[in-house]
Amino acid sequence: MIREKQQKTRHDTGGAGWRRWFCAVVTALVAVVAPAAVVLGESIEDFYKNRAMDLYIGYSTGGAYDLYARSIGRYLGRHIPGNPTLVPKNMEGAGSLRLANFLYRVAPHDGSTLGTIGRGIPFDPLLIGQGDAFDAQKFSWIGSANNEVSVCVAMKDSGITKFEDLFTKELTVGGTGTSADTDQFPRVLNGTLGTHFKIVEGYPGGNDVLLAMERGEVKGRCGWSWSSVKTTRKEWLDDKRMIVLVQLSLTKHPEMPDVPLITDFAKTDEQRAILKLMFARNVMGRPYLAPPNLPADRLATLRQAFMDTMTDKDFVAEADKTQLEINPVSGEDVEKLVKEVYATPPDIIAKAKTAAATN
């Protein structure tokens, strides 16, 4: 009797007991998987409805990146199904390198977070490689608000009247971070062409450099978007307090036919190749991006919404009123450009890197 009871107990444990364990596991799996299935099957509209999206800006308030982002943020949500609200947040630091690392490593990879960083940051791993925690080719590129032309400028009291003066005279310019255009561009010109820019680093953003120019702390800026010049300090041009020395781009801006192009000063094919590598970034003059590995449908939605915003009549009217130059580049084209730059021959990259490190 005792043996039969023991056998029955063992049988129950191996049969009914096993079934109870199995049911418990299945129930737990359903509890875990079911919500995921709902998320995976969630529509774009359901995901974005009543959502507050973070729109991070890699610079301090008042500069051109900030002005562009806040203007775009006011209209982008109306072109995303569900009409989310874009909430601008400034995260300055190291010329927006801090934000790039945050987007790549920390921010949610679900399409709820966007950012705008300096156009040169994606190429920082090629040219600087210090403090980078990202692979630029893996970012989810949303688009660019402008195909930019950057310039170098000098205040009238600097003693510099034309670009050629910089081969024999020094110009002190303000910088916003090792990876920023304001720092990289003058260093590359020093290292490649032999100019004499002296860079004062550490300003939180472009607006802070302008204040330093007003105070006389620095006498110029090199790596300043023409659209930003017109938006933030047009009066300096009108009253001739400031001189535009050179265009840092591969093609001239139609509004500056008499200002020389930087490639005009290249004397060798190698110099031209280095300058092309450095200034190709201006095609993505005001880039917007999201973390890597976004769901494909959300990435496509954000890219389309961005381009639709660029032609939104209310946005265009505001951009015209505030003199924000809009010449959009699609997310697909920005992604293509990044990959093309990363395919540059190693010897040219090495020489550009050396030039970018030259003080």
Side-chain angles (χ1 to χ4, degrees):
M1 291 293 294
I2 294 175
R3 179 174 294 182
E4 289 178 356
K5 187 175 181 179
Q6 289 175 337
Q7 288 176 341
K8 186 176 187 300
T9 300
R10 286 195 297 269
H11 177 74
D12 287 343
T13 302
W18 181 87
R19 284 193 295 273
R20 284 194 298 272
W21 174 84
F22 179 79
C23 289
V25 171
V26 170
T27 301
L29 287 174
V30 169
V32 172
V33 174
V38 172
V39 171
L40 291 174
E42 192 175 26
S43 70
I44 295 293
E45 184 172 0
D46 287 341
F47 177 77
Y48 285 110
K49 188 175 183 180
N50 299 322
R51 182 178 289 273
M53 294 179 62
D54 290 327
L55 175 56
Y56 284 97
I57 305 160
Y59 295 93
S60 56
T61 58
Y65 279 94
D66 184 68
L67 295 174
Y68 267 91
R70 290 177 183 275
S71 182
I72 290 170
R74 282 190 280 274
Y75 300 94
L76 182 60
R78 69 168 63 171
H79 298 286
I80 300 173
N83 304 127
T85 300
L86 277 292
V87 181
K89 297 181 178 182
N90 295 84
M91 185 186 285
E92 67 265 23
S96 75
L97 176 60
R98 177 188 173 205
L99 175 55
N101 289 334
F102 171 82
L103 290 172
Y104 196 85
R105 297 289 180 181
V106 180
H109 295 206
D110 61 0
S112 64
T113 303
L114 303 178
T116 179
I117 60 176
R119 66 185 67 88
I121 291 296
F123 311 113
D124 187 64
L126 290 177
L127 299 169
I128 304 295
Q130 296 177 351
D132 305 312
F134 62 84
D135 180 346
Q137 298 177 87
K138 294 182 179 179
F139 275 123
S140 300
W141 294 102
I142 307 302
S144 174
N146 201 13
N147 184 336
E148 284 280 5
V149 170
S150 289
V151 296
C152 293
V153 303
M155 301 303 285
K156 185 178 180 180
D157 63 357
S158 67
I160 303 295
T161 62
K162 58 185 183 297
F163 185 79
E164 290 88 339
D165 291 341
L166 293 169
F167 294 118
T168 56
K169 298 179 181 179
E170 184 178 85
L171 177 65
T172 303
V173 295
T176 60
T178 303
S179 306
D181 291 356
T182 52
D183 297 57
Q184 279 196 7
F185 285 0
R187 283 201 306 269
V188 166
L189 298 183
N190 286 347
T192 304
L193 300 179
T195 52
H196 292 80
F197 288 102
K198 179 181 179 181
I199 307 162
V200 178
E201 300 181 337
Y203 293 101
N207 195 49
D208 304 278
V209 174
L210 300 186
L211 294 175
M213 292 166 70
E214 288 181 330
R215 294 191 295 261
E217 295 175 8
V218 297
K219 293 297 184 179
R221 179 173 173 177
C222 188
W224 190 5
S225 298
W226 177 241
S227 60
S228 176
V229 174
K230 296 186 296 179
T231 301
T232 60
R233 291 298 187 275
K234 185 176 183 296
E235 68 275 13
W236 288 4
L237 295 172
D238 294 340
D239 62 17
K240 302 187 186 306
R241 273 187 288 166
M242 181 174 71
I243 302 165
V244 180
L245 303 173
V246 69
Q247 300 185 56
L248 305 176
S249 185
L250 304 183
T251 57
K252 281 189 175 185
H253 194 289
E255 295 177 359
M256 296 183 287
D258 298 326
V259 177
L261 201 61
I262 191 59
T263 49
D264 296 342
F265 297 97
K267 294 182 174 59
T268 66
D269 290 341
E270 181 179 285
Q271 288 179 343
R272 274 184 284 273
I274 292 172
L275 295 176
K276 182 178 179 180
L277 170 62
M278 289 303 306
F279 300 120
R281 68 182 67 180
N282 284 334
V283 174
M284 46 189 283
R286 301 290 174 188
Y288 289 78
L289 69 164
N293 304 318
L294 259 61
D297 57 344
R298 292 178 193 171
L299 175 57
T301 295
L302 292 173
R303 283 176 167 177
Q304 185 60 54
F306 182 85
M307 295 304 288
D308 289 344
T309 301
M310 296 298 99
T311 57
D312 182 305
K313 60 182 179 59
D314 295 327
F315 168 72
V316 172
E318 180 176 320
D320 287 342
K321 184 178 180 180
T322 54
Q323 296 184 313
L324 296 178
E325 187 172 89
I326 304 298
N327 183 17
V329 181
S330 71
E332 292 87 348
D333 285 343
V334 173
E335 179 181 332
K336 180 181 177 182
L337 173 65
V338 171
K339 290 180 178 178
E340 286 177 350
V341 171
Y342 271 79
T344 300
D347 60 324
I348 296 299
I349 291 175
K351 289 172 181 176
K353 185 174 182 177
T354 298
T358 301
N359 292 320

